[in-house]
Amino acid sequence: TGTFNVRIEDVEGETIVDTNYFSSIPLTNTTKVEVNSGTVLLDTDGNGEFEETIFSDNTDLNYLINFLKEKIQKLEIKNQLKKNLLKKIENLEIKIAKKQKNDKSLEGLKTKIQNIINKVLKKESKGQIGDTDAQGIINLLEQIEIRL
């Protein structure tokens, strides 16, 4: 149990054409990992299904937000809950776009992300969002927070 870092280089001939870094990827005794050039897929419970997608450290913030919205759209949950989560993500996206480079703005964004995480955890505890789906959403929110 712990974390690991990885650097992936795409090579054509003898030339490195792209390098992706992944930091602090969580690892347990049962974790299975599939590494691609821009993502690392994690099967955290060893059941053969990849529950989490870790994006490289240099992945664009807007790409992550859009990936998160697509993930929420595909969830098999009540429509009202889906709409509510998407609205929260869209509000976060607006705040990020308006973000100023100061500590107060950054703390406000981190608080907003934590509030969304808490909502997802609450819905998970009530059985309204599956464990795997909740962990996937939380993982993406944490990746967004790291890039702020």
Short mmCIF file of all heavy atoms in Angstrom, two decimals, residues 4-8 19-25 37-40 54-61 64 142-144 146-148:
data_model
loop_
_atom_site.label_atom_id
_atom_site.label_comp_id
_atom_site.label_asym_id
_atom_site.label_seq_id
_atom_site.Cartn_x
_atom_site.Cartn_y
_atom_site.Cartn_z
N PHE A 4 2.95 5.53 -6.24
CA PHE A 4 4.12 5.47 -7.12
C PHE A 4 4.02 6.58 -8.16
O PHE A 4 2.95 7.13 -8.42
CB PHE A 4 4.26 4.09 -7.77
CG PHE A 4 3.27 3.78 -8.86
CD1 PHE A 4 3.62 3.92 -10.20
CD2 PHE A 4 1.99 3.33 -8.55
CE1 PHE A 4 2.71 3.62 -11.20
CE2 PHE A 4 1.08 3.02 -9.56
CZ PHE A 4 1.44 3.16 -10.88
N ASN A 5 5.17 6.92 -8.72
CA ASN A 5 5.26 7.90 -9.79
C ASN A 5 5.78 7.19 -11.03
O ASN A 5 6.52 6.21 -10.92
CB ASN A 5 6.25 9.02 -9.42
CG ASN A 5 5.85 9.76 -8.17
OD1 ASN A 5 4.68 9.94 -7.89
ND2 ASN A 5 6.82 10.17 -7.39
N VAL A 6 5.38 7.68 -12.20
CA VAL A 6 5.85 7.07 -13.43
C VAL A 6 6.03 8.15 -14.50
O VAL A 6 5.30 9.15 -14.53
CB VAL A 6 4.88 5.95 -13.91
CG1 VAL A 6 3.54 6.50 -14.31
CG2 VAL A 6 5.48 5.13 -15.04
N ARG A 7 7.02 7.94 -15.34
CA ARG A 7 7.26 8.81 -16.50
C ARG A 7 7.15 7.92 -17.73
O ARG A 7 7.78 6.87 -17.81
CB ARG A 7 8.64 9.44 -16.41
CG ARG A 7 8.96 10.30 -17.63
CD ARG A 7 10.35 10.85 -17.60
NE ARG A 7 11.27 9.77 -17.91
CZ ARG A 7 12.54 9.75 -17.56
NH1 ARG A 7 13.04 10.72 -16.83
NH2 ARG A 7 13.31 8.74 -17.90
N ILE A 8 6.34 8.35 -18.68
CA ILE A 8 6.15 7.58 -19.91
C ILE A 8 6.64 8.43 -21.07
O ILE A 8 6.19 9.57 -21.26
CB ILE A 8 4.67 7.21 -20.11
CG1 ILE A 8 4.18 6.36 -18.94
CG2 ILE A 8 4.48 6.48 -21.44
CD1 ILE A 8 2.71 6.10 -18.95
N THR A 19 6.45 13.23 -23.49
CA THR A 19 6.71 12.68 -22.16
C THR A 19 5.55 13.03 -21.26
O THR A 19 5.12 14.19 -21.21
CB THR A 19 8.02 13.25 -21.57
OG1 THR A 19 9.10 12.96 -22.47
CG2 THR A 19 8.32 12.63 -20.22
N ASN A 20 5.02 12.04 -20.57
CA ASN A 20 3.94 12.26 -19.61
C ASN A 20 4.41 11.79 -18.24
O ASN A 20 5.02 10.74 -18.10
CB ASN A 20 2.69 11.47 -20.01
CG ASN A 20 2.00 12.10 -21.20
OD1 ASN A 20 1.48 13.20 -21.10
ND2 ASN A 20 2.00 11.40 -22.31
N TYR A 21 4.08 12.61 -17.23
CA TYR A 21 4.42 12.29 -15.85
C TYR A 21 3.13 12.04 -15.07
O TYR A 21 2.13 12.73 -15.25
CB TYR A 21 5.17 13.46 -15.20
CG TYR A 21 6.49 13.76 -15.86
CD1 TYR A 21 6.58 14.65 -16.91
CD2 TYR A 21 7.65 13.13 -15.42
CE1 TYR A 21 7.80 14.92 -17.52
CE2 TYR A 21 8.87 13.38 -16.03
CZ TYR A 21 8.94 14.28 -17.08
OH TYR A 21 10.14 14.54 -17.69
N PHE A 22 3.19 11.07 -14.19
CA PHE A 22 2.07 10.74 -13.31
C PHE A 22 2.63 10.71 -11.90
O PHE A 22 3.61 10.00 -11.63
CB PHE A 22 1.48 9.38 -13.66
CG PHE A 22 0.96 9.29 -15.07
CD1 PHE A 22 1.81 8.99 -16.13
CD2 PHE A 22 -0.37 9.50 -15.34
CE1 PHE A 22 1.34 8.90 -17.42
CE2 PHE A 22 -0.86 9.42 -16.64
CZ PHE A 22 0.00 9.12 -17.67
N SER A 23 2.01 11.46 -11.00
CA SER A 23 2.52 11.56 -9.63
C SER A 23 1.52 11.00 -8.63
O SER A 23 0.31 11.15 -8.80
CB SER A 23 2.79 13.02 -9.28
OG SER A 23 3.68 13.59 -10.19
N SER A 24 2.06 10.37 -7.61
CA SER A 24 1.29 9.91 -6.45
C SER A 24 0.09 9.04 -6.83
O SER A 24 -1.03 9.24 -6.35
CB SER A 24 0.82 11.11 -5.61
OG SER A 24 1.93 11.86 -5.19
N ILE A 25 0.32 8.06 -7.67
CA ILE A 25 -0.74 7.13 -8.05
C ILE A 25 -0.93 6.14 -6.90
O ILE A 25 0.02 5.51 -6.46
CB ILE A 25 -0.38 6.39 -9.35
CG1 ILE A 25 -0.23 7.40 -10.49
CG2 ILE A 25 -1.42 5.34 -9.69
CD1 ILE A 25 0.33 6.83 -11.76
N SER A 37 -0.27 6.17 -22.91
CA SER A 37 0.58 7.36 -23.00
C SER A 37 0.02 8.53 -22.20
O SER A 37 0.78 9.28 -21.60
CB SER A 37 0.79 7.76 -24.46
OG SER A 37 -0.43 8.14 -25.05
N GLY A 38 -1.28 8.73 -22.14
CA GLY A 38 -1.85 9.88 -21.44
C GLY A 38 -2.62 9.55 -20.18
O GLY A 38 -3.03 10.45 -19.45
N THR A 39 -2.82 8.25 -19.92
CA THR A 39 -3.59 7.86 -18.74
C THR A 39 -3.00 6.61 -18.10
O THR A 39 -2.31 5.83 -18.74
CB THR A 39 -5.06 7.57 -19.08
OG1 THR A 39 -5.12 6.50 -20.03
CG2 THR A 39 -5.79 8.79 -19.61
N VAL A 40 -3.33 6.45 -16.83
CA VAL A 40 -3.07 5.22 -16.11
C VAL A 40 -4.42 4.75 -15.60
O VAL A 40 -5.16 5.50 -14.96
CB VAL A 40 -2.09 5.44 -14.93
CG1 VAL A 40 -1.99 4.20 -14.07
CG2 VAL A 40 -0.72 5.86 -15.42
N ILE A 54 -6.40 7.81 -14.10
CA ILE A 54 -5.49 8.85 -13.64
C ILE A 54 -4.90 9.50 -14.89
O ILE A 54 -4.35 8.81 -15.75
CB ILE A 54 -4.35 8.28 -12.76
CG1 ILE A 54 -4.90 7.44 -11.63
CG2 ILE A 54 -3.44 9.41 -12.27
CD1 ILE A 54 -5.65 8.17 -10.57
N PHE A 55 -5.02 10.82 -14.98
CA PHE A 55 -4.48 11.53 -16.12
C PHE A 55 -3.08 12.04 -15.81
O PHE A 55 -2.74 12.27 -14.65
CB PHE A 55 -5.40 12.71 -16.49
CG PHE A 55 -6.71 12.26 -17.07
CD1 PHE A 55 -7.80 12.01 -16.26
CD2 PHE A 55 -6.83 12.06 -18.43
CE1 PHE A 55 -9.00 11.58 -16.78
CE2 PHE A 55 -8.03 11.62 -18.97
CZ PHE A 55 -9.12 11.39 -18.14
N SER A 56 -2.29 12.22 -16.85
CA SER A 56 -0.93 12.71 -16.65
C SER A 56 -0.96 14.09 -15.99
O SER A 56 -1.95 14.81 -16.10
CB SER A 56 -0.16 12.76 -17.98
OG SER A 56 -0.69 13.77 -18.81
N ASP A 57 0.12 14.41 -15.31
CA ASP A 57 0.21 15.68 -14.58
C ASP A 57 0.01 16.90 -15.50
O ASP A 57 -0.42 17.95 -15.04
CB ASP A 57 1.55 15.80 -13.87
CG ASP A 57 1.73 14.75 -12.79
OD1 ASP A 57 0.75 14.06 -12.44
OD2 ASP A 57 2.86 14.62 -12.28
N ASN A 58 0.33 16.75 -16.78
CA ASN A 58 0.21 17.88 -17.69
C ASN A 58 -1.10 17.89 -18.49
O ASN A 58 -1.25 18.64 -19.44
CB ASN A 58 1.41 17.94 -18.64
CG ASN A 58 1.63 16.65 -19.40
OD1 ASN A 58 1.25 15.58 -18.95
ND2 ASN A 58 2.26 16.74 -20.55
N THR A 59 -2.09 17.10 -18.06
CA THR A 59 -3.40 17.09 -18.73
C THR A 59 -4.10 18.42 -18.48
O THR A 59 -4.14 18.92 -17.36
CB THR A 59 -4.28 15.94 -18.22
OG1 THR A 59 -3.62 14.71 -18.51
CG2 THR A 59 -5.64 15.95 -18.88
N ASP A 60 -4.66 18.97 -19.51
CA ASP A 60 -5.38 20.25 -19.45
C ASP A 60 -6.57 20.17 -18.50
O ASP A 60 -7.33 19.19 -18.52
CB ASP A 60 -5.85 20.62 -20.86
CG ASP A 60 -6.60 21.92 -20.91
OD1 ASP A 60 -5.99 22.96 -20.66
OD2 ASP A 60 -7.82 21.87 -21.18
N LEU A 61 -6.73 21.20 -17.69
CA LEU A 61 -7.81 21.27 -16.71
C LEU A 61 -9.18 21.18 -17.37
O LEU A 61 -10.07 20.47 -16.89
CB LEU A 61 -7.68 22.57 -15.92
CG LEU A 61 -8.56 22.76 -14.72
CD1 LEU A 61 -8.38 21.64 -13.71
CD2 LEU A 61 -8.25 24.10 -14.06
N LEU A 64 -10.07 17.62 -18.21
CA LEU A 64 -10.51 16.87 -17.02
C LEU A 64 -11.95 17.18 -16.66
O LEU A 64 -12.72 16.28 -16.32
CB LEU A 64 -9.61 17.20 -15.83
CG LEU A 64 -8.29 16.48 -15.75
CD1 LEU A 64 -7.49 16.99 -14.56
CD2 LEU A 64 -8.49 14.99 -15.63
N GLU A 142 -10.36 15.38 -7.34
CA GLU A 142 -9.05 15.57 -6.71
C GLU A 142 -7.98 15.91 -7.75
O GLU A 142 -7.10 16.74 -7.50
CB GLU A 142 -8.68 14.33 -5.91
CG GLU A 142 -9.51 14.18 -4.66
CD GLU A 142 -9.33 12.86 -3.93
OE1 GLU A 142 -8.78 11.89 -4.54
OE2 GLU A 142 -9.74 12.77 -2.76
N GLN A 143 -8.06 15.30 -8.92
CA GLN A 143 -7.11 15.61 -9.99
C GLN A 143 -7.30 17.05 -10.47
O GLN A 143 -6.32 17.74 -10.78
CB GLN A 143 -7.26 14.64 -11.16
CG GLN A 143 -6.78 13.25 -10.83
CD GLN A 143 -6.86 12.33 -12.04
OE1 GLN A 143 -6.16 12.54 -13.02
NE2 GLN A 143 -7.70 11.32 -11.95
N ILE A 144 -8.55 17.51 -10.52
CA ILE A 144 -8.82 18.90 -10.89
C ILE A 144 -8.23 19.84 -9.84
O ILE A 144 -7.56 20.82 -10.16
CB ILE A 144 -10.34 19.14 -11.06
CG1 ILE A 144 -10.84 18.41 -12.33
CG2 ILE A 144 -10.68 20.62 -11.12
CD1 ILE A 144 -12.34 18.31 -12.45
N ILE A 146 -5.73 19.40 -7.81
CA ILE A 146 -4.27 19.43 -7.89
C ILE A 146 -3.80 20.41 -8.95
O ILE A 146 -2.76 21.07 -8.80
CB ILE A 146 -3.73 18.02 -8.17
CG1 ILE A 146 -3.90 17.14 -6.94
CG2 ILE A 146 -2.27 18.05 -8.62
CD1 ILE A 146 -3.65 15.66 -7.18
N ARG A 147 -4.55 20.56 -10.03
CA ARG A 147 -4.13 21.41 -11.16
C ARG A 147 -4.49 22.88 -10.99
O ARG A 147 -4.17 23.69 -11.84
CB ARG A 147 -4.71 20.85 -12.45
CG ARG A 147 -3.99 19.58 -12.86
CD ARG A 147 -4.78 18.80 -13.89
NE ARG A 147 -4.06 17.63 -14.35
CZ ARG A 147 -4.01 16.47 -13.69
NH1 ARG A 147 -4.62 16.34 -12.54
NH2 ARG A 147 -3.33 15.45 -14.17
N LEU A 148 -5.16 23.22 -9.92
CA LEU A 148 -5.55 24.63 -9.72
C LEU A 148 -4.35 25.49 -9.39
O LEU A 148 -3.39 25.10 -8.84
CB LEU A 148 -6.58 24.74 -8.61
CG LEU A 148 -7.94 24.11 -8.91
CD1 LEU A 148 -8.85 24.22 -7.69
CD2 LEU A 148 -8.60 24.79 -10.10
#
